[in-house]
Amino acid sequence: MELFQNRLAACNTSSPSHFHINVLDILDVVNKQKKGKSAGPDGIQMEALIFGGLKLYVHLSLLFNMFVHCNYLPKQFMHSVIIPLVKCKSGNLNDLDNYRAIAISTALSKVFEGLLLAELTCHINDEERQFGFKSGHSTGMCTNVLKRTVEYFTERGSHVFTCFIDFSKAFDKVNYWKLFNKLLDDRIDVNIVAILSFWYSQQEVCVRWQSSVSSSFKIGNGTRQGSVLSPLLFARYICELLAKIFNTRIGCNIGGIYYNILAYADDLVLVAPSWSALQHLINVLHREAADINMSCNVNKTVCMVFSPKCRRKVIRQSFPVFKLGDSDLQFVKSFKYLGHIICHSFSDDDDVKREIRNMYTRTNILIRRYSRCSLCVKLVLFKSYCICMYDTALWKTYSIGVYNKLRSCYNKCIKMFFGYKRSYSVTQMLNELEIPSFDTIIANSLTIFDRQWVSCTNSLLVNLTNCENC
């Protein structure tokens, strides 16, 4: 904090800011806001701003420019309400870790954050190994890069060692004074950094539980809950950590580019072709994470070994345990990474079975709640919740039996929800409901994913595709 305040004092924050907010900027941000959201602590709905008109936007532009010029925000503007939500209703309701905090802030603060987001996005460097919070990127792309990297090495007779990193309360442990120093290093407008530092250091929140509201208190660390700026700021916060691991030049090298670390928000995975290389990467990560006040959860951080596809090139079946600091890391044979189950045998059967369980679960919920709705409502619900299968385009190695079970599950769920008999013709049923067949859904999913993959300009994806085609 002292370092940041000294650096900020050395800058001339009283000089005119290069960051200026006009009416068109506010109009653009307001049009992106969603309707039907809960009102903030001030009781103002977002619809009041959306339909406020240009005269209101003129006053808001004057107000927001004064915020930036004076490096000050009113107390009511910064106030937020935290609502705890139970993660698992069947779990221990007295356990603090069984609750997820949802923050509700004022509508004006959301618009102001949207204006700051557009400015920060232009100045913060893009880390290509970070797939989270970026347009044109997805969890499927990050998972596919990992799977293709592993496949590239195992097909060429090499073992691949991976470590799936789980940070303990990553967003809550962000030291925002270190974050603001990083923003100054990026030469972001001093007035923007100053207003963010004032906001974070002076913000007050209260907790609402049913009809009870706690007294207000300040938060001394972490990114702001529910803020559109938080994802971008967190990505910037761990940017050096990713760069330090990449610059070790240790790990899986494909076409001159190292695929030794991949990240989606705070979900990191380290990749190396040898045991000693992965242990070195773990040591670097442990050291760099401590520098930014972050720590790994050793109970959820696990390792996995992929063997060469040619059995004659397998060196050994078991390896020494990896060390994270003084703690031993556990080996696993399968791991759910970004919602996709990855198996050490490179089989997608477990992930197909996951989709079968999810489809039955979603269908039973729809039947229990909406069985008496009209046909039009049922069609909308089924297409929204049951047709969108997750990362089916990543399936490559699976057994025909498990795949046919998913097809049968899809047809059964349609008959169950829409009240068809089990012996009814599947083709006739799909024609009557105008619902796509299972094969059509899989084909469309693969086509859409391939288009997104080809259109993505990330150098990791481009290089990986070029090397596989060689």
Side-chain angles (χ1 to χ4, degrees):
M1 181 180 65
E2 292 179 359
L3 173 62
F4 171 76
Q5 290 176 343
N6 292 334
R7 294 183 63 183
L8 197 63
C11 301
N12 188 10
T13 57
S14 61
S15 61
S17 173
H18 299 293
F19 177 60
H20 181 75
I21 300 170
N22 57 45
V23 175
L24 294 179
D25 295 332
I26 296 177
L27 179 62
D28 182 57
V29 173
V30 168
N31 288 335
K32 295 178 182 178
Q33 302 301 315
K34 296 181 180 180
K35 305 174 186 177
K37 297 295 184 180
S38 300
D42 57 0
I44 299 177
Q45 298 279 354
M46 184 58 71
E47 285 81 354
L49 304 183
I50 295 176
F51 301 108
L54 292 178
K55 289 185 178 180
L56 172 62
Y57 302 154
V58 171
H59 287 280
L60 290 181
S61 65
L62 295 172
L63 176 66
F64 292 158
N65 282 309
M66 290 173 64
F67 285 169
V68 177
H69 178 73
C70 300
N71 299 328
Y72 177 82
L73 293 171
K75 185 176 180 180
Q76 287 185 330
F77 182 90
M78 298 183 292
H79 191 62
S80 299
V81 177
I82 293 180
I83 301 177
L85 296 180
V86 180
K87 293 181 181 179
C88 180
K89 294 182 180 180
S90 60
N92 183 10
L93 298 181
N94 296 323
D95 185 8
L96 294 177
D97 294 331
N98 194 29
Y99 290 86
R100 179 184 294 108
I102 301 297
I104 300 177
S105 53
T106 61
L108 283 176
S109 67
K110 294 179 180 178
V111 175
F112 188 59
E113 283 181 331
L115 297 167
L116 297 179
L117 178 64
E119 182 69 14
L120 291 174
T121 304
C122 300
H123 292 84
I124 293 180
N125 294 329
D126 183 22
E127 173 55 58
E128 293 191 323
R129 282 146 195 84
Q130 175 62 264
F131 286 78
F133 323 123
K134 295 166 65 175
S135 176
H137 293 67
S138 64
T139 57
M141 284 187 179
C142 185
T143 306
N144 199 36
V145 170
L146 173 62
K147 295 184 70 174
R148 288 195 180 191
T149 302
V150 172
E151 187 177 19
Y152 183 90
F153 276 81
T154 54
E155 285 181 348
R156 288 160 176 77
S158 172
H159 286 268
V160 177
F161 300 82
T162 59
C163 181
F164 298 94
I165 304 296
D166 182 86
F167 285 114
S168 176
K169 301 185 182 300
F171 285 81
D172 295 336
K173 290 188 177 181
V174 171
N175 185 320
Y176 50 69
W177 296 113
K178 290 185 178 181
L179 172 63
F180 299 145
N181 278 298
K182 294 177 185 291
L183 296 182
L184 289 178
D185 294 337
D186 294 339
R187 298 191 176 183
I188 293 175
D189 193 306
V190 177
N191 289 276
I192 294 179
V193 182
I195 196 69
L196 285 175
S197 65
F198 181 85
W199 196 344
Y200 269 72
S201 59
Q202 301 296 325
Q203 65 177 328
E204 290 188 354
V205 299
C206 62
V207 179
R208 187 173 70 197
W209 179 256
Q210 297 180 354
S211 59
S212 301
V213 180
S214 72
S215 57
S216 299
F217 57 93
K218 291 186 177 181
I219 298 178
N221 59 282
T223 55
R224 291 185 61 248
Q225 279 281 352
S227 170
V228 295
L229 294 175
S230 295
L232 179 65
L233 295 177
F234 180 81
R236 175 61 187 89
Y237 189 67
I238 66 170
C239 183
E240 279 86 1
L241 184 147
L242 303 181
K244 288 287 181 63
I245 294 177
F246 170 72
N247 291 332
T248 59
R249 304 183 67 81
I250 294 175
C252 293
N253 186 322
I254 301 177
I257 296 180
Y258 284 89
Y259 293 76
N260 52 7
I261 184 168
L262 300 171
Y264 192 93
D266 60 331
D267 291 313
L268 275 60
V269 56
L270 304 176
V271 190
S274 67
W275 185 94
S276 59
L278 182 61
Q279 182 60 65
H280 181 78
L281 295 179
I282 293 174
N283 294 339
V284 174
L285 181 135
H286 181 65
R287 182 177 65 252
E288 296 300 325
D291 289 341
I292 56 175
N293 297 31
M294 298 182 68
S295 60
C296 298
N297 186 343
V298 294
N299 295 323
K300 294 184 178 180
T301 299
V302 296
C303 300
M304 187 183 301
V305 181
F306 298 89
S307 300
K309 293 188 176 181
C310 180
R311 295 184 178 181
R312 293 179 299 176
K313 297 183 179 180
V314 175
I315 299 176
R316 56 188 298 180
Q317 297 296 333
S318 61
F319 294 88
V321 295
F322 289 99
K323 291 279 189 178
L324 179 62
D326 297 329
S327 304
D328 295 339
L329 297 181
Q330 179 185 3
F331 281 102
V332 295
K333 294 185 177 181
S334 64
F335 183 78
K336 192 173 185 179
Y337 178 64
L338 301 179
H340 186 91
I341 298 179
I342 298 177
C343 185
H344 78 291
S345 61
F346 226 68
S347 172
D348 293 315
D349 285 351
D350 289 343
D351 197 61
V352 178
K353 293 177 182 178
R354 170 196 59 79
E355 191 59 48
I356 293 174
R357 294 191 298 268
N358 290 344
M359 185 171 294
Y360 276 128
T361 300
R362 292 193 293 264
T363 303
N364 288 328
I365 292 175
L366 292 179
I367 292 173
R368 186 167 63 250
R369 296 182 179 180
Y370 307 105
S371 59
R372 297 182 180 181
C373 292
S374 63
L375 179 61
C376 294
V377 174
K378 284 186 174 182
L379 285 172
V380 173
L381 290 171
F382 191 83
K383 290 179 180 179
S384 301
Y385 291 98
C386 298
I387 288 183
C388 300
M389 303 182 194
Y390 184 75
D391 280 351
T392 56
L394 305 185
W395 295 342
K396 187 175 181 180
T397 306
Y398 50 83
S399 61
I400 299 299
V402 175
Y403 189 76
N404 288 334
K405 286 183 179 180
L406 179 59
R407 177 188 282 106
S408 176
C409 168
Y410 176 73
N411 296 330
K412 285 181 180 179
C413 288
I414 296 177
K415 291 181 178 180
M416 290 165 53
F417 186 52
F418 291 97
Y420 285 91
K421 295 181 179 180
R422 296 182 62 181
S423 58
Y424 199 83
S425 171
V426 174
T427 304
Q428 185 175 351
M429 175 185 64
L430 295 177
N431 289 333
E432 291 174 358
L433 298 174
E434 297 182 354
I435 292 179
S437 65
F438 173 78
D439 293 331
T440 301
I441 294 174
I442 298 298
N444 290 342
S445 176
L446 184 60
T447 302
I448 293 172
F449 183 80
D450 287 341
R451 288 177 181 174
Q452 294 174 345
W453 181 275
V454 174
S455 62
C456 186
T457 57
N458 191 311
S459 63
L460 297 181
L461 277 64
V462 175
N463 177 72
L464 194 59
T465 302
N466 294 336
C467 292
E468 290 177 341
N469 296 332
C470 293

